[in-house]
């Protein structure tokens, strides 16, 4: 059934992206002048599963193949959500700091490595809303660095930035994505089938049903397709059917959630664990337990940002305000 497992992985970037041609052209035109040392910052906004990260990686990979003197690096700010972690990850990802560690090295050293590079650097900061703005400001201060900032909610992120950071990002080019339509998502899933599965053994109705369940979220649709293909192989059945899809929806949802949990940074994971263990916990109880268990607890403002990121990831939900606020786990 599975001929190329890479096509079913969430981080896979296909050779051709369907139904994002306009956004790809726009992003390409914004980033193309980098070849001539013209720095341009970019913001990409849109709901989960709309292809934000994929189009950034797609366009930058093409640009890197076509041009000399360009490097780009990717930082998942959910995992690398401190200034040191984000900068050191970026420097290592652009092959300028294999010797740098996240801890014990000054962030100024990472910035020096970027500044001293003869190449133009593009820093992709995914889930940037969870990140302290200091690395964002530091990177936009470097003349040979451009930032591609990716997040879901434009207003929420811009609203939490200082005037200094806002002035930099307000002038950035903006790419906005919407959820995929049903037909668009069917095309995307059919492309994954063509590249990764034996197409003759996949019922067309099963692909339509997976797209319908995913409701415009490509990440969810691909997760369902991947689990369904695995189920066919495990059970040694002939065809991937609607019934196969229906049988794996919960497993696919669990896969997405587990992947999100694994990507969390240390303090986000601790906050999630406390909420998950309690089932339902008040804001004050959560704060007390976090400060009791955390090594070098983060400030309240940082914790609020982390809790917002957990809600965006649909790992927790919150209700009430102020002292009456309560958190519950979706796990």
């Amino acid at each position: 059934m599975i001929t190329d497992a890479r096509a079913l992985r969430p981080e896979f970037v296909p050779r051709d992206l369907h139904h994002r041609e306009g956004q790809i052209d726009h992003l390409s035109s914004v980033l193309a002048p980098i070849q001539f040392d013209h720095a341009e910052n970019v913001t990409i906004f849109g709901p989960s599963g709309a292809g934000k990260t994929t189009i950034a990686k797609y366009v930058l990979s093409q640009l890197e193949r076509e041009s000399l003197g360009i490097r780009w690096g990717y930082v998942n700010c959910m995992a690398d959500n401190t200034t040191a972690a984000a900068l050191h990850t970026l420097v290592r990802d652009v092959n300028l700091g294999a010797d740098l560690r996240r801890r014990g090295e000054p962030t100024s050293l990472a910035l020096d490595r970027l500044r001293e590079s003869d190449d133009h650097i593009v820093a992709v900061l995914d889930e940037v809303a969870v990140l302290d703005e200091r690395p964002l400001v530091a990177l936009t201060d470097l003349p040979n660095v451009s930032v591609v900032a990716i997040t879901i909610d434009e207003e929420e992120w811009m609203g939490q930035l200082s005037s200094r950071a806002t002035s930099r990002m307000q002038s950035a080019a903006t790419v906005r994505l919407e959820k995929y339509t049903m037909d668009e998502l069917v095309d995307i899933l059919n492309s994954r089938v063509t590249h990764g599965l034996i197409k003759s053994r996949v019922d067309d109705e099963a692909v339509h049903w997976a797209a319908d369940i995913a409701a415009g979220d490509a990440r969810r649709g691909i997760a369902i397709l991947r689990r369904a293909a695995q189920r066919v192989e495990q059970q040694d059945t002939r065809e991937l059917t609607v019934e196969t899809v229906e049988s794996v929806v919960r497993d696919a949802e669990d896969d997405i959630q587990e992947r999100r949990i694994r990507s969390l940074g240390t303090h986000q994971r601790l906050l999630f664990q406390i909420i998950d263990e309690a089932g339902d916990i008040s804001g004050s109880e959560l704060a007390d337990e976090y400060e009791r268990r955390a090594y070098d607890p983060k400030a309240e403002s940082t914790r609020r940002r982390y809790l917002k990121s957990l809600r965006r990831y649909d790992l927790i939900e919150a209700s009430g305000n102020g002292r009456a606020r309560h958190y519950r786990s979706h796990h």
Side-chain angles (χ1 to χ4, degrees):
M1 168 59 72
I2 299 174
T3 58
D4 189 344
R6 293 174 300 177
L8 303 177
R9 292 171 184 159
E11 66 275 11
F12 176 73
V13 179
R15 293 181 181 177
D16 299 306
L17 290 184
H18 298 276
H19 306 295
R20 288 294 185 246
E21 292 83 0
Q23 292 88 349
I24 289 170
D25 289 346
H26 177 43
L27 185 57
S28 298
S29 66
V30 169
L31 293 175
I34 289 173
Q35 302 171 73
F36 311 105
D37 291 329
H38 175 65
E40 186 82 36
N41 298 316
V42 182
T43 53
I44 304 178
F45 302 110
S48 178
K52 302 184 296 297
T53 304
T54 302
I55 71 164
K57 290 182 174 180
Y58 178 85
V59 170
L60 285 166
S61 295
Q62 284 192 325
L63 187 61
E64 190 176 42
R65 284 196 299 269
E66 297 167 359
S67 311
L68 296 173
I70 294 173
R71 302 185 189 212
W72 67 275
Y74 175 81
V75 180
N76 178 359
C77 300
M78 288 294 288
D80 299 306
N81 50 37
T82 66
T83 299
L87 292 178
H88 289 164
T89 294
L90 173 63
V91 170
R92 288 195 301 273
D93 207 45
V94 296
N95 295 317
L96 292 174
D99 57 319
L100 293 182
R101 303 183 301 275
R102 292 187 186 182
R103 299 182 185 276
E105 300 281 3
T107 57
S108 59
L109 181 57
L111 291 170
D112 286 343
R113 295 285 179 89
L114 296 170
R115 185 184 294 107
E116 293 164 2
S117 173
D118 293 330
D119 296 328
H120 192 95
I121 310 296
V122 182
V124 180
L125 304 180
D126 203 356
E127 299 288 351
V128 70
V130 76
L131 186 66
D132 183 277
E133 70 176 41
R134 285 174 294 177
L136 179 70
V137 172
L139 290 171
T140 54
D141 276 344
L142 299 179
N144 65 322
V145 174
S146 300
V147 171
V148 176
I150 303 174
T151 191
I152 292 174
D153 193 311
E154 179 177 3
E155 291 186 6
E156 179 183 327
W157 179 55
M158 296 295 287
Q160 73 186 30
L161 297 179
S162 68
S163 57
R164 185 182 180 193
T166 300
S167 66
R168 286 163 168 75
M169 300 316 298
Q170 278 183 333
S171 61
T174 301
V175 178
R176 294 184 178 88
L177 302 177
E178 302 295 335
K179 278 193 172 186
Y180 291 105
T181 66
M182 173 69 172
D183 289 342
E184 289 171 347
L185 193 47
V186 168
D187 286 346
I188 290 168
L189 296 184
N190 273 325
S191 176
R192 299 296 176 115
V193 169
T194 299
H195 286 95
L197 303 177
I198 300 174
K199 189 172 178 60
S200 62
R201 292 176 59 185
V202 180
D203 184 354
D204 288 342
E205 288 302 315
V207 175
H208 280 76
W209 189 233
D212 191 26
I213 294 170
D217 185 333
R219 181 181 292 106
R220 191 176 180 213
I222 293 166
I224 293 170
L225 186 63
R226 181 174 61 253
R227 267 292 184 170
Q230 290 172 335
R231 181 64 57 86
V232 170
E233 290 209 328
Q234 290 166 356
Q235 296 183 346
D236 196 25
T237 54
R238 173 65 190 168
E239 192 175 26
L240 195 162
T241 65
V242 169
E243 289 73 21
T244 314
V245 168
E246 290 178 337
S247 71
V248 301
V249 172
R250 181 56 187 268
D251 289 337
E253 299 284 1
D254 289 344
D255 287 346
I256 293 172
Q257 192 172 57
E258 290 302 323
R259 183 179 178 85
R260 287 172 171 169
I261 293 169
R262 288 196 303 271
S263 75
L264 297 177
T266 302
H267 291 268
Q268 288 166 292
R269 186 177 291 110
L270 177 56
L271 287 166
F272 172 75
Q273 286 173 346
I274 293 169
I275 296 169
D276 192 40
E277 290 166 5
D280 185 298
I281 191 170
S282 70
S284 59
E285 290 172 328
L286 174 60
D288 290 343
E289 185 64 11
Y290 167 79
E291 290 179 3
R292 186 182 70 81
R293 290 166 59 171
Y295 174 77
D296 190 19
K298 298 293 184 181
E300 184 179 355
S301 58
T302 301
R303 297 202 303 263
R304 285 199 300 268
R305 195 166 65 244
Y306 288 173
L307 288 167
K308 284 181 181 179
S309 72
L310 294 177
R311 292 170 63 189
R312 281 194 300 272
Y313 258 32
D314 201 30
L315 292 174
I316 66 169
E317 62 181 30
S319 61
N321 295 298
R323 297 180 64 85
R325 195 167 187 78
H326 273 250
Y327 297 94
R328 283 172 292 280
S329 168
H330 284 170
H331 191 226

